[in-house]
Amino acid sequence: MSNFWVMKTFKEWAGDFIANEEIGLDESGVDNNYTNYSVAQLSSVLDNPRLLRRFDQFCKWAKVGDYVIVGIGQQTKFNMKLVGRIIGDYEFEASHQPYRHFRKIELLKVFENPIPIEKWGQIQRIELVDDNDFIDTLVKSI
């Protein structure tokens, strides 16, 4: 069964997501493949529990076949830019720019004019959402 994710990113990164057909994440200090860190190492790499959760969600919990809505916007804004389906496992490449942690996606829809989704304005970097909420948002927006 597929999960449904909502992800907020920088406007510039969204362009890279589309061009490279992938989604990505990065954080200073997470300089290796996230899945290779031991539990003991993670607390020294990321001392913020919210950042740990974001990386867990992106690198460990999201799976091939899951769907993702990517939005852009300031801290309290979420403007839907693309809808995709994850088609690749988590990857890490130290030289990959501007983000080093990524997953390949199939682009299902790209919005030339991003659509404001007020209810997701407070979304952090990546969040699991209910399938009904995900589908309802798409139906109302398209």
Side-chain angles (χ1 to χ4, degrees):
M1 184 169 147
S2 298
N3 285 316
F4 299 88
W5 301 91
V6 174
M7 183 173 186
K8 189 186 285 188
T9 194
F10 306 106
K11 186 176 182 179
E12 300 79 28
W13 285 21
D16 290 327
F17 288 5
I18 294 163
N20 299 327
E21 297 188 17
E22 61 193 15
I23 53 176
L25 189 66
D26 211 331
E27 190 67 40
S28 179
V30 188
D31 301 327
N32 295 300
N33 183 314
Y34 184 77
T35 59
N36 291 341
Y37 287 110
S38 70
V39 173
Q41 290 172 315
L42 282 176
S43 61
S44 64
V45 170
L46 287 171
D47 60 355
N48 182 323
R50 284 178 280 149
L51 291 177
L52 280 169
R53 181 174 171 78
R54 288 179 203 156
F55 269 86
D56 280 344
Q57 289 173 319
F58 185 84
C59 303
K60 295 179 180 179
W61 302 349
K63 302 289 183 210
V64 170
D66 288 356
Y67 293 87
V68 61
I69 291 175
V70 175
I72 56 175
Q74 300 148 334
Q75 194 167 350
T76 60
K77 305 265 189 224
F78 186 96
N79 299 306
M80 182 168 47
K81 181 64 178 167
L82 70 91
V83 180
R85 187 173 60 85
I86 298 172
I87 60 171
D89 291 326
Y90 161 69
E91 296 182 58
F92 172 81
E93 286 183 23
S95 62
H96 195 283
Q97 294 297 318
Y99 43 84
R100 300 169 293 171
H101 306 267
F102 60 95
R103 292 174 162 276
K104 290 294 186 184
I105 62 168
E106 172 188 9
L107 292 171
L108 301 175
K109 177 72 176 169
V110 175
F111 299 93
E112 288 299 317
N113 297 311
I115 300 170
I117 308 294
E118 189 173 326
K119 67 182 173 182
W120 288 338
Q122 297 298 322
I123 289 288
Q124 294 297 310
R125 197 55 68 103
I126 184 168
E127 298 281 337
L128 182 64
V129 295
D130 178 81
D131 56 342
N132 291 321
D133 193 16
F134 188 95
I135 293 165
D136 184 58
T137 300
L138 288 179
V139 168
K140 289 178 179 174
S141 301
I142 297 179

